[in-house]
Amino acid sequence: MNTLPIISSHFIIKDEVSQALINAQPVVALESTVITHGLPYPENLQLAQGLENDVRLNLAVPATIAMIKGKIHVGLSALEIEELATSGQGLRKISRRDFGIAIARKESGGTTVAGTLIAAHTSKIKVFATGGIGGVHRDAPFDISADLPELGRSPLVVVCAGAKAILDLPATLEYLETMGVAVVGYQTDEFPAFYSRSSGLSVNVSANTPQDVARIALAQWELGIQSAILVVAPPPADSALPHAEIDGIIEQALAEAKQKKISGYALTPYLLARISELSGGKSLKANLSLLHNNAMIAAQIAAALTTSNLRNRSV
Ligand code: PSU
Ligand code: MN
C-alpha cells in the first residue's frame, strides 16, 4: 500500500483519505465546529454521518476534520464522529490561534472553517464543504472571523451558502475582496444569506456546472494564486426562509447577545442556537438542508477537478 509522506507527527490521516489523495481521487473536507458547536444533539450526529454519505453518493471520499486528544485528524471513524457529537460545547472551537494550545494540552475540538482550511491545505485536499463562513460581525464590539484571512491564503474551493445574515454581509464581501477571494455564485448571481436565497448583493461571477467551477479554480492555481475560490450556493428552496421571516428573529437574537455581553468565539454558537429556538426549528431545518446541498455540490466539483475529468479542458 502506498502512503503519503508524513506531514507531521501532529496529523493522523485516515487510510481511506490518504489512499484517495495518492490516487488523485476526489476528496471533500468537512468541518467539525458545526458538529461540536453549530447544531444540537442528535441533529449534529445525524448531520455529520449524512454529509459523509452525501459525499460518497457523489463518488468522492469524505474527510471530516477535527482535533482529537491533541492530534489533527483528517477523516474520522464512526466512533470518533459520535464522540465529538456527544461531547457538547465544552470542547474547544479550533481556529488558527488554537492549534498549538490544543496540541500541547492534548485537547479535542471542532475545527472552524479557518481551522479546517489549515488542515485540509496541509493534507493537499482541494475541496471543502461547509454551511456558512464566518464574517464581519455587525456593530461593536469589533469582531472579524478568522475564516476571512484564512480564505485569503488557502488555495481550495470552499462551498457554502454564503454567510449568515447575523453578519454584516456587505462588509464581509468587501473583506473577501481585500483578501483576494473570488466569490462564485453556483447557479445564482446573488450572494445567498444562508437561511435566505437572496441578499441583494452580487457575486463576482456565476457558474452553472461543477466543470465551470473547476476551470476557474485550475486557472487560478496554475498562476500560483493562493486564495480560495468561494462557491456560494443558495439554500434549497423548500426550506429556505424569506428575509422578512428571519430578519426580526436575527435582530432579537443579536440584541439579546448584546444584553448578555456574549462576544468573541461564543457569539456565533449563541446566535445559531437562539435563532433556532426563536424560529421554532425552521432555521435548523434550513441549516441542515443547505449543508447537505453544499456537500453534494462539493463532491461534484471535486470529481470535476480530478485530472481524468478535465483532460479535455480548455483553460
Ligand atoms: N456558520 C454557520 N454555522 C457554523 C459556523 C458558521 O452557519 O457552525 C461556525 C463555522 O465553523 C465557522 C465558525 O468557521 O462558526 C465561525 O466562528 P467565528 O465567527 O467565531 O469565527
Ligand atoms: Mn469572532
Side-chain angles (χ1 to χ4, degrees):
M1 183 161 89
N2 288 328
T3 49
L4 281 180
I6 293 171
I7 307 170
S8 98
S9 59
H10 301 305
F11 275 82
I12 295 180
I13 302 194
K14 195 178 172 188
D15 274 350
E16 184 193 14
V17 175
S18 61
Q19 282 309 305
L21 290 168
I22 289 164
N23 298 326
Q25 286 161 351
V27 175
V28 174
L30 299 164
E31 60 138 318
S32 51
T33 294
V34 68
I35 308 173
T36 55
H37 294 74
L39 296 170
Y41 178 84
E43 283 85 356
N44 60 348
L45 176 59
Q46 287 157 10
L47 181 273
Q49 294 163 337
L51 293 186
E52 294 217 337
N53 205 28
D54 296 332
V55 170
R56 286 185 205 286
L57 287 174
N58 285 274
L59 309 180
V61 172
T64 306
I65 292 177
M67 180 75 72
I68 299 178
K69 299 190 180 82
K71 296 280 181 193
I72 304 163
H73 284 245
V74 179
L76 301 179
S77 68
L79 188 62
E80 287 163 341
I81 289 181
E82 201 168 328
E83 279 173 8
L84 283 178
T86 51
S87 294
Q89 300 216 352
L91 295 182
R92 196 178 283 272
K93 180 176 147 185
I94 297 179
S95 189
R96 173 175 278 267
R97 68 170 185 193
D98 304 291
F99 279 96
I101 297 170
I103 289 170
R105 294 281 191 268
K106 298 195 171 21
E107 289 179 358
S108 301
T111 47
T112 64
V113 169
T116 306
L117 280 170
I118 292 171
H121 181 37
T122 309
S123 322
K124 309 221 173 343
I125 296 174
K126 301 306 291 177
V127 181
F128 166 24
T130 182
I133 56 164
V136 179
H137 283 264
R138 297 187 197 175
D139 309 325
F142 175 83
D143 183 348
I144 297 176
S145 174
D147 292 354
L148 298 183
E150 212 56 54
L151 286 162
R153 56 186 163 223
S154 306
L156 279 90
V157 172
V158 178
V159 183
C160 68
K164 237 174 260 98
I166 57 172
L167 300 165
D168 182 334
L169 296 184
T172 299
L173 278 171
E174 289 298 335
Y175 203 101
L176 287 167
E177 179 184 351
T178 303
M179 290 287 125
V181 177
V183 179
V184 179
Y186 195 75
Q187 298 171 355
T188 182
D189 49 18
E190 251 192 88
F191 188 70
F194 194 82
Y195 300 123
S196 316
R197 290 175 65 82
S198 75
S199 67
L201 300 163
S202 6
V203 293
N204 305 142
V205 72
S206 146
N208 283 326
T209 62
Q211 289 74 20
D212 202 5
V213 174
R215 274 190 286 273
I216 294 169
L218 284 168
Q220 179 144 321
W221 296 336
E222 281 165 6
L223 291 175
I225 292 174
Q226 294 290 302
S227 44
I229 311 283
L230 190 70
V231 174
V232 294
D238 56 357
S239 63
L241 301 172
H243 259 307
E245 199 176 326
I246 196 80
D247 265 2
I249 288 175
I250 289 173
E251 291 294 341
Q252 184 180 337
L254 283 166
E256 287 177 10
K258 204 168 195 171
Q259 195 199 350
K260 292 186 176 168
K261 297 196 173 19
I262 293 168
S263 63
Y265 71 92
L267 181 61
T268 300
Y270 174 82
L271 292 173
L272 295 184
R274 195 64 187 121
I275 290 168
S276 174
E277 271 171 29
L278 291 171
S279 69
K282 277 191 188 172
S283 70
L284 179 60
K285 193 166 166 237
N287 200 343
L288 295 172
S289 157
L290 68 87
L291 278 157
H292 286 292
N293 189 49
N294 296 346
M296 292 188 276
I297 294 169
Q300 291 161 15
I301 294 171
L305 272 170
T306 57
T307 37
S308 59
N309 287 330
L310 280 176
R311 205 158 278 152
N312 301 319
R313 74 181 197 264
S314 54
V315 286

